Amino acid sequence: MHRKHLQEIPSSGSNVSSGFAWDWESGRTAELLSGMGVSVLRKERLGSENTPQELLVAACSPHKKQKVKEKDFVIVRRPRLLREAEPGVSWDALPDELLLAIFAYLPLNDLLKVSMICKRWHCLSFDEFLWQTLDLTCRNLLPGVIGQLLPAGVTVFRCPRSSIGNPQFKTMKPLRVQHMDLSNCTVSVPDLQSILCRCERLENLSLEGLVLSDDILRSIAKNTNLIRLNLCGCSGFSAEALELMLSSCSVLEELNLSWCDFTATHVKAAVNHVTSKVTQLNLSGYRQNLQISDVKTLVERCPSLVHLDLSDSVMLKPECFQYFHQLIFLQHLCLSRCYQISPAALVELGEIPTLKTLQVFGIVTDSSLQLLRETLPDMKINCSHFTTIARPTVGTKKNHEIWGIKCRLTLRTPSSL
């Protein structure tokens, strides 16, 4: 076909009948436009800017004869390539390692938001690298939340004073949690058991103030590497389950069993089966159930004790001091509200060379306290109202660490999950 000039193409100003029609092959459209200096791009190279829809259809439709009227002829601007419309590096082009490094700077709120962008970002946002430490203190955790977050690779989980719904775990796969604080949570016994039965790597655990069960203590017993255990104020389990747990957790260094719902049988199970490796022990709050004979058994079984709290044990008398002398590492002793011990008898404790602090609240008056301090100048007396044994967080409410570990992921504002 010889090249046609623009003047040969019918225009709207010519005297060509509007009813005139040609038999026109769509393949000749490209040939004609080529003669005009306009090239037609393939479909995958076309952008949508300034491109008539008719041309887009013609460029990708199968060849067939059709009638073309003069009004269908237009002069078009060459479209830009799609790749030119997106300068720079695409997020999709970034490797997973780089995206993970970026996500590591996001707070929990934003990390949960980016998880909803696309499937790839959802998978990356739940990578175990990002979820090693998690703080959900004082939150309302809806059903299914715990079951989704803990399997993401959490090793440090701080969640005291929260309301925990049914975890709804999807598998029985063991969790990686090593340090967990669920103190004073609102959680049912079955839901708590569903969490603990999946934990086998715990090193630090606090369940202060919770109702437990024998099954829960059996689950705790599976964590043979447990170093610190806080069961202060717990109830709902038998002496037999306590005995099993203490026998299994043979490397415990700090144990807090204060103010539990114990009978004399529970107390004897505790002193007879606690590991000899324990260095800090709190057995306060057992009033008539803790006898001097129990102190004798305890000292013989745990010679490495450094910190011992036997407060609120009204059956103890100065006779038990002879056993404290056998503890060659003893530095901190608590005997508050042991009312059968007189202030004058406390002077004998000054003969323990390693003893640094003595808490005797409730059994000495202010005047007696001053005299006692003068008599024992190298010992700090009544310097702390609260015990720190096995407790995850010590100090002010602004301290967000548990057992010295700071959690990175935390919600910035109070909310439900």
Side-chain angles (χ1 to χ4, degrees):
M1 174 180 179
H2 68 280
R3 182 169 179 171
K4 295 181 181 292
H5 298 286
L6 288 175
Q7 60 267 25
E8 297 181 24
I9 301 176
S11 64
S12 59
S14 62
N15 296 320
V16 179
S17 170
S18 60
F20 182 76
W22 294 337
D23 288 334
W24 190 267
E25 296 181 2
S26 58
R28 297 178 62 188
T29 301
E31 194 173 324
L32 175 60
L33 292 176
S34 177
M36 297 165 54
V38 180
S39 62
V40 179
L41 299 177
R42 296 180 180 276
K43 180 181 179 181
E44 60 269 21
R45 294 171 56 87
L46 284 174
S48 60
E49 180 177 327
N50 299 321
T51 305
Q53 188 64 26
E54 294 84 1
L55 183 58
L56 289 172
V57 174
C60 60
S61 60
H63 294 290
K64 61 180 180 179
K65 293 184 177 181
Q66 58 181 345
K67 295 182 179 180
V68 181
K69 299 182 180 180
E70 60 174 315
K71 64 180 180 180
D72 294 324
F73 288 94
V74 294
I75 302 300
V76 299
R77 174 180 154 190
R78 185 189 298 272
R80 294 187 302 176
L81 298 182
L82 287 177
R83 64 174 178 269
E84 295 176 356
E86 299 178 358
V89 179
S90 169
W91 281 95
D92 293 334
L94 296 179
D96 290 351
E97 295 78 7
L98 185 53
L99 282 175
L100 283 174
I102 296 173
F103 289 175
Y105 287 93
L106 299 178
L108 179 56
N109 307 61
D110 295 334
L111 185 60
L112 294 175
K113 291 178 182 178
V114 302
S115 70
M116 297 184 287
I117 298 299
C118 62
K119 290 183 178 180
R120 182 191 178 206
W121 283 28
H122 178 82
C123 293
L124 289 176
S125 62
F126 281 96
D127 188 275
E128 62 186 34
F129 167 75
L130 303 173
W131 290 87
Q132 295 182 13
T133 59
L134 178 62
D135 186 344
L136 296 178
T137 301
C138 297
R139 306 294 173 178
N140 181 25
L141 304 178
L142 301 178
V145 171
I146 294 294
Q148 181 180 5
L149 298 185
L150 289 188
V154 176
T155 60
V156 181
F157 184 42
R158 183 172 186 253
C159 192
R161 303 181 300 281
S162 293
S163 177
I164 301 177
N166 190 335
Q168 297 179 1
F169 290 100
K170 296 181 180 179
T171 67
M172 283 299 297
K173 184 178 179 180
L175 301 175
R176 298 189 178 187
V177 182
Q178 298 177 15
H179 316 276
M180 182 161 62
D181 179 14
L182 300 179
S183 302
N184 300 299
C185 281
T186 302
V187 57
S188 68
V189 172
D191 290 344
L192 181 60
Q193 164 63 3
S194 70
I195 297 173
L196 291 173
C197 71
R198 291 170 170 81
C199 297
E200 299 178 357
R201 303 183 183 183
L202 289 172
E203 297 178 9
N204 297 304
L205 176 63
S206 179
L207 302 175
E208 183 169 338
L210 302 186
V211 177
L212 309 181
S213 67
D214 286 0
D215 287 338
I216 288 177
L217 262 65
R218 294 187 189 100
S219 297
I220 296 175
K222 296 179 181 178
N223 297 270
T224 55
N225 293 322
L226 201 59
I227 297 174
R228 298 178 184 88
L229 177 61
N230 179 21
L231 298 183
C232 172
C234 290
S235 61
F237 52 92
S238 66
E240 292 76 17
L242 176 64
E243 178 181 330
L244 171 65
M245 183 197 71
L246 292 176
S247 300
S248 300
C249 300
S250 58
V251 297
L252 273 174
E253 296 179 6
E254 297 184 30
L255 177 62
N256 191 336
L257 292 177
S258 61
W259 295 99
C260 292
D261 186 18
F262 278 5
T263 63
T265 305
H266 284 85
V267 173
K268 292 191 179 299
V271 300
N272 282 289
H273 294 90
V274 63
T275 175
S276 60
K277 295 183 180 180
V278 70
T279 59
Q280 300 187 42
L281 178 63
N282 190 341
L283 281 176
S284 61
Y286 293 116
R287 303 194 180 276
Q288 290 87 5
N289 289 328
L290 182 68
Q291 305 291 329
I292 295 179
S293 59
D294 296 324
V295 176
K296 179 178 182 296
T297 302
L298 185 63
V299 168
E300 292 174 349
R301 185 172 180 82
C302 307
S304 300
L305 281 171
V306 175
H307 191 165
L308 178 62
D309 190 342
L310 300 177
S311 300
D312 297 281
S313 300
V314 297
M315 302 304 293
L316 298 188
K317 300 177 181 180
E319 300 171 22
C320 64
F321 289 1
Q322 58 181 314
Y323 304 119
F324 299 149
H325 282 274
Q326 299 176 21
L327 298 173
I328 60 175
F329 301 106
L330 185 64
Q331 296 182 21
H332 311 284
L333 180 62
C334 303
L335 297 173
S336 297
R337 294 168 295 280
C338 295
Y339 296 114
Q340 295 198 55
I341 299 176
S342 65
L346 295 174
V347 177
E348 181 184 341
L349 296 176
E351 299 175 5
I352 302 176
T354 56
L355 196 59
K356 296 180 179 179
T357 66
L358 177 64
Q359 315 304 327
V360 286
F361 292 100
I363 62 178
V364 293
T365 61
D366 292 342
S367 58
S368 299
L369 177 60
Q370 183 61 33
L371 181 60
L372 187 62
R373 285 173 174 170
E374 293 174 357
T375 307
L376 304 174
D378 297 328
M379 189 180 302
K380 294 182 178 180
I381 303 174
N382 287 2
C383 57
S384 176
H385 289 271
F386 304 103
T387 181
T388 61
I389 296 176
R391 285 218 162 109
T393 303
V394 180
T396 65
K397 293 183 178 180
K398 294 182 179 180
N399 184 0
H400 300 303
E401 296 181 348
I402 58 170
W403 296 290
I405 306 171
K406 186 176 181 180
C407 294
R408 189 189 70 83
L409 284 180
T410 180
L411 289 176
R412 291 173 297 185
T413 56
S415 61
S416 299
L417 280 180

